[in-house]
Amino acid sequence: MPKIADAPRLQYLDEPKPGTLTITYQPDGAPIQENPPRFSWLPALDDDARYVLKVSPDPDFAPGVTHVFENLTWNFFTPDVIFEPGSYSWAFALWDAKAKRVASAWSSVRSFDITPDLPQTQLPRAEARLQARDLRHPRLWLNPDGVVAFRETLKSAPDHCGWQNFFNNSVEPWLSRAIISEPSPYPDNIRIATLWRQMYIDCQEVIYAIRHLAIGGVILDDPALIAMAKTWLLSVAAWDPKGATSRSYNDEAAFRVVTALAWGYDWLHDHLDEDERKQVRNVLLARTREVADHVLWRARIHVFPYDSHAVRSLSAALTAACIALAGEEKEAEDWLDYTVEFLFTLYSPWGGKDGGWAEGPHYWMTGIAYLTEAANLIRAFLKVDLYQRPFFQKTGDFPLYTKAPGTRRACFGDDSTLGDPPGLKVGYNVRQFAGVTGNPYYQWYYERLNAGAAGTAMEFYNYGWWDLNFDDLVYRHDYPPVEARAPSDLPPVKWFKDIGWVAVQKHMDDPARHIQFLFKSSSFGSLSHSHGDQNAFLLYAFGEDLAIQSGYYVAFNSTMHRNWRRQTISKNAVLIEGRGQYADGDKTIAKKAGGRILAVREEKTHVFISGDATAAYHAADPDVLRAERDIYFSHSDFLVIVDRVECATAKSIQWLFHATRSMDVGSNSFRLTGERAGLYGQFVHSTSGAPEVRLVEGFKGVDPVEVEGLATQFHIEASLPPSTKHTLVTLLVPYSLNEPRRVFHFIDDQGFSADIYFTDVDDNQLRIVIPKNF
């Protein structure tokens, strides 16, 4: 093992303090989730610095028992060894690659414990990964042997893996489609949402045309298909890499062009002459370099991992491109090493071992869709299996619990499918994890969601991102079928501790009785595609969204997005003196303005959930000293919500409840009546005076042009008079309109009445016990 004394003129080793948005020094005493642990530290100022890491069961790092990992390129690392159970110490230093010796003082010593039976997820070093590669073309998905085997199987089984559906719907149409022209810049280079979307879909269709014609042609050995695929490929290769489809101009377009060129170059490689190969290779390398330079040296996701697009570009663009160029371009091989090591070490910045995704289920869909594509390509090319990591073993639970089939507006975070069924790719992603884990609930979810969203395949949020015929072909080839099982015995409560979400699912397999309740108080705050919605809740019951995510995903950064969707005013939460939580553009504040789940308990009569959103409100108003919410979810399907707010000065609070339709309002109550379900709400206790309850229509602060032609929405605002301390207790009772079995009749002091239908009560008495310390 290298000794400090062996290295003359040791450099000073700076250990800067981690920031809100940076990676941290890990492991550092917290429980380890996989073996080996993932190591990370803040890097040296010199981007060319190399590192050495020492790990030992001996805190003095005695020779013979200490592992030394030399010449590490990055400030993150997954070892290629499994550690025996026990306590360990570790430290890092700078490394002189030329002299092969330690070049700085060692860092502070940090520690961790390895417990028995942890998942074993070591990563072979780059040199070993090189030996696993097959550099023949194609190498994206199938290799030449796989192509021959597929071709032979089609002779006796023409619909092998759904080939006929893929060929008829995703190959043949491109034989008669006109070649898509290179997109033009925006007028005066000012981004216009409609033109951005058209550029986006044009580049997505370029993937479909090149990839599918090439695969169809090569597998069938069809010269006409191959010739058409080459025509498309060479046309796109002639587009200006610095033009409207460059990463700096439109990153979504750039990712798609890189992907199209990568698949075309790989699958058509042996059908291109040397000049054609050079033309495509050069432009693919230039475009890939632009993406990689942004990821590594501008976004620097190995230091600042919360850049949604930059992290996604590893799997959406770099993986396929670098595999296609491997063996020919050293740069691409280095970028592939970075990609694999990041995905094995720092991924996912949005969640942990529970499988959560802080940006919400819609951006789980997009991020995981590309991740699984990349994971499959990496496994085939490098024989490295990402899926064994704990996150990937559990992340199928996230949509299962938070975006159940049938729900439309009961989700947190940015979501372009608001009001529509969940995107089909959510189901395809979950099926992928069914194939990986064998989980029968995941297969059921895919089948149920796919059936419920039938007819939406050509919607922009589906076709504009994925060709599901191709996805189905690849999955059915790569994974065995899994038999579905309805989630009738699924545990009803799921706490995603990694992101601060709690879900309650009841009767998911029975649409008429299904209830989904979500609560959020997240340490990620309003970062990225998250919103100012700490301590907010959502409710779907008996076939209908009741307490909803309000608004429309008109466009990112629209007034609807900035002034409504991201803000607490659009949530089932509280405002304090008319102000919500911090949800604006400063990412550092947005991350600090988070919440935390204080407790989740399953009691005999109810589920108890408690959240603290003080930091989120305090970031917007320093006078806020306390903002907590308790949820009592009764097994008889009603909810009691207790809000506690304390401020340095007397302030009013506004309690909000959002719905897709108008509601009836009483003096201290309200009623929502839908098509299949209803909800009764009553403010049963307040320490600061009776609430003033009113119905509000529309979207404050939103440009009317953006919502023209869209259905209006409504919310209840219950305002309490100013006080330094508030405690408000609210009763919510969802009920089915289709199968009433028992009636409970509410009458408030103004004569407002509501008939509440229960399906599971012993008598007509609903008793609410308010603790003395409210």
Side-chain angles (χ1 to χ4, degrees), residues 47-82:
D47 287 334
D48 293 325
R50 295 292 177 109
Y51 303 92
V52 56
L53 177 73
K54 60 181 180 179
V55 184
S56 180
D58 177 12
D60 294 324
F61 298 97
V65 296
T66 298
H67 296 274
V68 179
F69 305 96
E70 302 172 353
N71 200 28
L72 306 181
T73 307
W74 301 103
N75 58 303
F76 57 92
F77 178 63
T78 297
D80 57 347
V81 299
I82 299 298

Side-chain angles (χ1 to χ4, degrees), residues 409 418 548-554 558-567 569-571 657-661 694-715:
R409 287 186 168 275
L418 277 184
I548 69 163
Q549 175 78 287
S550 176
Y552 296 91
Y553 198 67
V554 175
S558 60
T559 63
M560 168 63 80
H561 184 254
R562 292 194 316 271
N563 300 340
W564 187 262
R565 291 273 295 111
R566 286 185 58 81
Q567 304 301 325
I569 193 173
S570 69
K571 315 304 175 188
F657 178 95
H658 292 264
T660 58
R661 59 185 71 235
R694 68 187 186 108
L695 179 69
V696 182
E697 179 179 358
F699 314 101
K700 182 181 178 180
V702 174
D703 183 347
V705 174
E706 294 180 359
V707 294
E708 188 174 349
L710 299 175
T712 190
Q713 293 172 357
F714 301 84
H715 68 268

Side-chain angles (χ1 to χ4, degrees), residues 517 519 537 539 605-610 628-644 655 679-685 727-734 746 758 766-771 774:
F517 176 80
F519 182 79
F537 68 88
L539 178 63
T605 58
H606 64 275
V607 175
F608 175 75
I609 307 167
S610 182
E628 296 178 359
R629 170 171 276 181
D630 294 340
I631 305 288
Y632 299 82
F633 192 116
S634 167
H635 294 338
S636 296
D637 300 338
F638 64 86
L639 296 96
V640 177
I641 301 174
V642 183
D643 288 292
R644 299 181 185 87
W655 189 97
L679 180 139
Y680 175 82
Q682 183 176 2
F683 305 101
V684 298
H685 177 73
T727 297
L728 175 63
V729 182
T730 307
L731 167 70
L732 298 180
V733 186
F746 288 87
F758 290 85
L766 179 62
R767 300 180 180 90
I768 303 171
V769 178
I770 301 175
F774 270 8

Side-chain angles (χ1 to χ4, degrees), residues 354-367:
D354 295 327
W357 191 274
E359 295 179 300
H362 186 79
Y363 276 83
W364 179 91
M365 175 181 72
T366 58

Side-chain angles (χ1 to χ4, degrees), residues 715-768:
H715 68 268
I716 294 294
E717 179 187 285
S719 185
L720 298 180
S723 176
T724 57
K725 293 185 178 182
H726 296 273
T727 297
L728 175 63
V729 182
T730 307
L731 167 70
L732 298 180
V733 186
Y735 52 94
S736 172
L737 294 174
N738 296 323
E739 296 184 2
R741 297 181 184 175
R742 195 174 290 273
V743 178
F744 187 81
H745 193 66
F746 288 87
I747 302 178
D748 72 5
D749 58 359
Q750 299 298 312
F752 172 76
S753 64
D755 291 331
I756 310 304
Y757 297 83
F758 290 85
T759 60
D760 184 23
V761 292
D762 296 326
D763 55 35
N764 284 335
Q765 298 294 316
L766 179 62
R767 300 180 180 90
I768 303 171

